[in-house]
Each structure stands twice: as C-alpha cells, then as structure tokens.
Amino acid sequence: MILNRIEKFLMNNPVRAAFQMHLEARRLMALGGPMGGGRALEVGCGRGVGCRIVLDVFGAGQVTGMDLDPDMVRRAGERLAGYGDRVRLYAGDVTDIPEEDASFDAVFDFGILHHVPDWQKALSEVFRVLKPGGRFYAEEALEKFIRFAPIRWTLDHPMENRFGHRDFIRGMEKAGFRVLDNRPTVGEWFGWYFAEKPGAGVRGKTER
Ligand SMILES: C[S@@+](CC[C@H](N)C(=O)[O-])C[C@H]1O[C@@H](n2cnc3c(N)ncnc32)[C@H](O)[C@@H]1O
C-alpha cells in the first residue's frame, strides 16, 4: 500500500533519517551483526536512506532497493547516485519479488510489511530470494501501534490480517526462517528481528 501524504512527509525528512541511522540500524546491528560484503536486498527502500545504511554500516558489497511507489524509487535514485553500480533500484512489489531464488546474502526490511496486506506472502518471497544461510534483518510497526486511534486517524494501513510481535515471529518460522533474535519495544508497538534461512550449517551468534 502506497503511503498517504502525512506518512510520506513523516518518512521523507531528516528526523526520520537520523532515527533510522542512530536507533533502528543500531538495534538491527546488535541483533545480527554486520554482513561483511555480499549482495543485499532492501524491500520497501523508500527514499534510499536504508540502502545507504546497508552499504556503509552493515558493509554489503552491493544493494538492490525496491519499492512499490515509483516516486520513492526516484528519490532513492537521487540520494544514491554517488554509489554507482553498487546500487540497483526499481519499482516492485515485495509479494512478487522479480529476482532469482537464492540470490541474496541478506534482506532488510525497515518498517514496510505492516503496509502489505498479504505480509505472509511477502515473508515467503523474502525467504525464497535468500541464499541458504542468508540473513533477514527486520524492523516492524506492530498491530498495537497501527490500531492506536491517533495513528488510525492519520495514517493508512491495511487493517485486516495484521500482526503483533508473536505473530510476526510465527510468520517468519512458518515461511521457513530460524528466528535467532528479537527485541520488541515496551507495549509491543514496534519490534526488531533477526532471522536466518537454514541450510549453510548452524552458526552461533558470536560467529557473525
Ligand atoms: C513506512 S515506509 C518505510 C520506508 C523506508 N523503508 C524507511 O524506513 O524510511 C513503507 C515503504 O514501503 C513501501 N511499500 C508499501 N507496500 C509495498 C509493497 N507491497 N512492496 C514494496 N514496497 C512497499 C512504501 O511505498 C513505503 O516506501
């Protein structure tokens, strides 16, 4: 679902960028650690701040950013022009990712699946495009947040088939992931998650 004007303003400003860089990225890093090279996909990349974090903070060699909204992809293209062929961007739907099976070392979700009516299908697509041993880093807004009255009145989110903290963990497990760490906020309004696609041998957290 494309953002309404209010949420687009909330996403496309320097305060949001600072929050994403200094809080969200740090929490995901604490859960999963850096990538140390490799190919990453950011689903719902918005205006491209997350792609920059994936390259400069998590250490991906290359990042593909995709978003349902072509205007967001255009903004991301302007922001990331200096990265040359380390960045690839396109408009697309996370429930039907136009990528080969097992083609990414990591997938990043900075708060998009709560906008997706069939978020379970999105998780199975994320699982499909990851290599065995590939990592899934996710930050999500949870049901209690999107049902909170002032949020409901101002922002547009799908209201059917929503997920709370436990539902999201179960959804990842059902898609095939091994969920290795998670951190909900107080009140379970938001959550941070780190999961792995099994298949490349069992890794302990300290080995990441
Ligand atoms: C809350 S914004 C987050 C944007 C960015 N990740 C950030 O953290 O600033 C959600 C983004 O997901 C995108 N989006 C919504 N539904 C999507 C879908 N089905 N597939 C891909 N992107 C989608 C929206 O266009 C929007 O850019």
Side-chain angles (χ1 to χ4, degrees), residues 3-190:
L3 308 186
N4 71 11
R5 271 198 312 181
I6 299 173
E7 192 167 3
K8 210 157 177 176
F9 170 74
L10 292 175
M11 289 298 112
N12 293 333
N13 68 74
V15 176
R16 162 75 193 140
F19 197 74
Q20 194 174 357
M21 172 69 87
H22 298 297
L23 180 92
E24 297 181 359
R26 272 191 201 172
R27 287 206 173 162
L28 290 179
M29 181 66 87
L31 294 188
M35 283 182 64
R39 295 188 73 213
L41 171 68
E42 189 195 357
V43 292
C45 64
R47 66 176 186 147
V49 175
C51 287
R52 181 179 276 174
I53 291 171
V54 170
L55 292 171
D56 294 349
V57 178
F58 286 86
Q62 195 265 342
V63 65
T64 298
M66 55 104 77
D67 197 288
L68 192 62
D69 183 347
D71 177 55
M72 289 294 214
V73 175
R74 179 190 59 74
R75 291 173 192 244
E78 287 171 6
R79 174 173 307 278
L80 300 166
Y83 287 88
D85 62 7
R86 292 183 70 203
V87 176
R88 194 165 62 101
L89 299 165
Y90 57 83
D93 187 338
V94 66
T95 62
D96 187 15
I97 302 174
E99 301 284 356
E100 300 284 318
D101 296 357
S103 49
F104 290 96
D105 300 286
V107 175
F108 288 79
D109 154 22
F110 285 99
I112 90 142
L113 297 187
H114 64 285
H115 278 280
V116 178
D118 193 350
W119 58 276
Q120 294 96 334
K121 175 89 189 318
L123 283 176
S124 68
E125 278 291 272
V126 168
F127 186 83
R128 179 183 67 74
V129 301
L130 274 171
K131 297 176 186 173
R135 297 139 175 249
F136 180 42
Y137 299 81
E139 179 271 322
E140 271 304 329
L142 302 170
E143 188 168 27
K144 286 184 183 163
F145 173 76
I146 64 172
R147 293 201 191 286
F148 180 54
I151 298 300
R152 236 179 34 234
W153 297 331
T154 48
L155 308 182
D156 284 341
H157 295 114
M159 283 294 153
E160 303 294 319
N161 183 32
R162 293 303 78 200
F163 53 88
H165 176 61
R166 288 279 140 211
D167 304 319
F168 195 62
I169 290 175
R170 273 196 295 273
M172 284 188 282
E173 288 171 345
K174 211 164 165 197
F177 285 105
R178 188 160 51 218
V179 180
L180 295 175
D181 214 342
N182 67 84
R183 182 170 169 191
T185 58
V186 175
E188 298 191 355
W189 277 23
F190 297 91

